[in-house]
């Protein structure tokens, strides 16, 4: 494997802290990696032999296949020796996210997670790839999508690894009246950050029930629904001759480049090119 330059990114959202890193083997010899308590991580590069030290001094060797993850409880692990360069992503969900998921999926003790290794899970891999894209600047996350991804992952891990149980839900779809109420709420709050919990409250559903039923009903994730409304309002404002910078702020984007990327994903053209096409 070709060596690569070290890189580390820490991104704090309201509901999760995401740490992404690339470390050459030479750096790992000098600066051993340490897991964070109550976290979920994944190794994008596999290791045939890794030496791990646990609190108290005991050490053991293990292999880490590429694409596998781990769940960490209160106990921190120190990776004192690896056989190759490393690329990883670690997610540290907030206490509120862990408590909400543990209670909803009827596994109260899961709020503290547990030490589980070799988690080969496609949901974890997909969510980790999305956060990695954000960390490397390729496809930025907003607060709403980060929250949705984090809650989905934590709930999934609790159900598949930590003894949680999904409740039976008979009402699997949202009514037209609830969807209309939801759209009105987004329209009225379009300048502000809109957390998933606020959307769930509008429909009188629990967080996880809302995410599931919303997607079943509309075929969209909640963050995609909110982004679509923001983009439609942005287009209307541009058609009225407003400046791109002012439009971005008016539809809730603090960072201009985030607005540009969202607009391009929705319409296939950047805002400036869209404006020029009107001239």
């Amino acid at each position: 494997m070709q060596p690569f330059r070290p890189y580390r990114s820490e991104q704090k959202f309201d509901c999760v802290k995401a740490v992404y890193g690339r470390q050459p083997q030479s750096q790992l010899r000098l600066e051993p990696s340490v897991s964070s308590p109550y976290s979920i991580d994944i190794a994008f590069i596999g290791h045939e032999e890794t030496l791990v030290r646990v609190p108290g001094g005991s050490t053991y060797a293990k292999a880490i296949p590429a694409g596998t993850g781990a769940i960490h409880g209160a106990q921190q692990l120190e990776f004192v020796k690896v056989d190759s360069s490393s690329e990883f992503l670690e997610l540290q969900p907030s206490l509120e996210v862990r408590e909400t998921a543990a209670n909803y999926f009827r596994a109260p003790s899961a709020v503290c997670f547990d030490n589980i290794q070799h988690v080969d899970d496609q949901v974890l891999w997909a969510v980790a790839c999305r956060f990695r894209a954000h960390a490397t600047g390729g496809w930025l996350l907003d607060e709403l999508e980060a929250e949705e991804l984090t809650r989905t992952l934590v709930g999934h891990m609790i159900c598949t690894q930590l003894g949680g149980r999904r409740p039976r839900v008979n009402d699997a779809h949202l009514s037209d009246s609830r969807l209309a109420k939801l759209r009105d709420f987004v329209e009225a709050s379009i300048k502000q950050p809109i957390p998933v919990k606020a959307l769930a409250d509008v429909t009188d559903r629990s967080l996880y029930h809302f995410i599931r039923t919303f997607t079943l009903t509309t075929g969209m994730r909640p963050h995609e629904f909110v982004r679509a409304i923001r983009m439609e309002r942005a287009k209307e404002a541009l058609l009225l001759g407003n400046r791109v910078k002012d439009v971005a702020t008016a539809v809730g984007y603090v960072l201009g480049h985030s607005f540009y990327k969202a607009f391009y994903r929705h319409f296939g053209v950047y805002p400036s090119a869209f404006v020029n096409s009107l001239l």
Side-chain angles (χ1 to χ4, degrees):
M1 178 183 297
Q2 293 295 320
F4 46 58
R5 292 182 178 179
Y7 177 82
R8 183 179 177 88
S9 168
E10 294 188 10
Q11 185 69 46
K12 291 184 179 180
F13 297 94
D14 290 341
C15 63
V16 65
K17 178 180 178 181
V19 180
Y20 169 76
R22 296 193 298 260
Q23 294 175 285
Q25 186 180 12
S26 58
Q27 183 184 26
L28 287 165
R29 293 194 190 102
L30 301 174
E31 303 174 22
S33 178
V34 180
S35 67
S36 299
Y38 315 119
S39 64
I40 302 170
D41 64 30
I42 189 169
F44 291 110
I45 295 176
H47 303 284
E48 293 183 1
E49 184 178 17
T50 303
L51 202 60
V52 181
R53 179 183 297 137
V54 298
S58 60
T59 304
Y60 63 93
K62 70 170 185 175
I64 303 178
T68 59
I71 302 173
H72 302 284
Q75 186 182 62
Q76 291 181 285
L77 301 180
E78 182 180 4
F79 298 87
V80 296
K81 181 182 178 182
V82 296
D83 59 359
S84 63
S85 299
S86 175
E87 182 187 18
F88 69 92
L89 181 104
E90 181 183 78
L91 298 174
Q92 303 167 26
S94 68
L95 175 60
E96 185 274 329
V97 168
R98 290 186 280 117
E99 286 180 336
T100 300
N103 291 331
Y104 182 76
F105 294 110
R106 294 175 283 181
S109 63
V111 68
C112 294
F113 284 177
D114 201 354
N115 291 311
I116 301 176
Q117 305 296 315
H118 300 302
V119 178
D120 186 4
D121 186 277
Q122 294 306 304
V123 173
L124 170 57
W125 180 83
V127 171
C129 286
R130 183 66 187 88
F131 274 96
R132 176 175 64 175
H134 174 87
T136 56
W139 183 3
L140 298 183
L141 285 164
D142 57 26
E143 284 283 355
L144 180 59
E145 187 178 359
E147 180 188 359
E148 183 186 329
L149 288 169
T150 302
R151 292 189 187 278
T152 297
L153 176 62
V154 172
H156 179 75
M157 289 291 101
I158 286 177
C159 286
T160 59
Q161 304 292 331
L162 298 169
R165 294 177 295 159
R166 298 186 185 276
R168 292 184 178 180
V169 179
N170 295 323
D171 186 5
H173 289 80
L174 292 173
S175 65
D176 289 344
S177 61
R178 277 197 168 104
L179 287 174
K181 188 177 180 182
L182 192 63
R183 186 182 183 97
D184 290 343
F185 172 78
V186 174
E187 297 271 10
S189 310
I190 201 164
K191 292 184 179 181
Q192 308 298 326
I194 304 175
V196 179
K197 187 177 186 305
L199 299 176
D201 289 344
V202 171
T203 61
D204 298 319
R205 302 294 176 92
S206 69
L207 271 169
Y208 291 94
H209 187 192
F210 167 72
I211 292 173
R212 190 174 74 87
T213 56
F214 183 88
T215 303
L216 285 173
T217 304
T218 66
M220 301 173 71
R221 306 290 289 181
H223 77 270
E224 294 171 332
F225 176 76
V226 172
R227 186 171 62 208
I229 294 175
R230 292 189 194 277
M231 292 302 100
E232 290 301 320
R233 294 298 157 266
K235 181 185 71 174
E236 293 172 2
L238 291 172
L239 288 172
L240 292 174
N242 293 286
R243 295 189 308 166
V244 173
K245 181 179 179 181
D246 295 336
V247 171
T249 302
V251 296
Y253 284 85
V254 177
L255 300 176
H257 57 274
S258 297
F259 172 70
Y260 269 73
K261 288 190 175 183
F263 194 93
Y264 183 85
R265 285 202 301 269
H266 194 74
F267 294 109
V269 63
Y270 288 108
S272 53
F274 177 78
V275 171
N276 291 335
S277 71
L278 303 176
L279 301 177

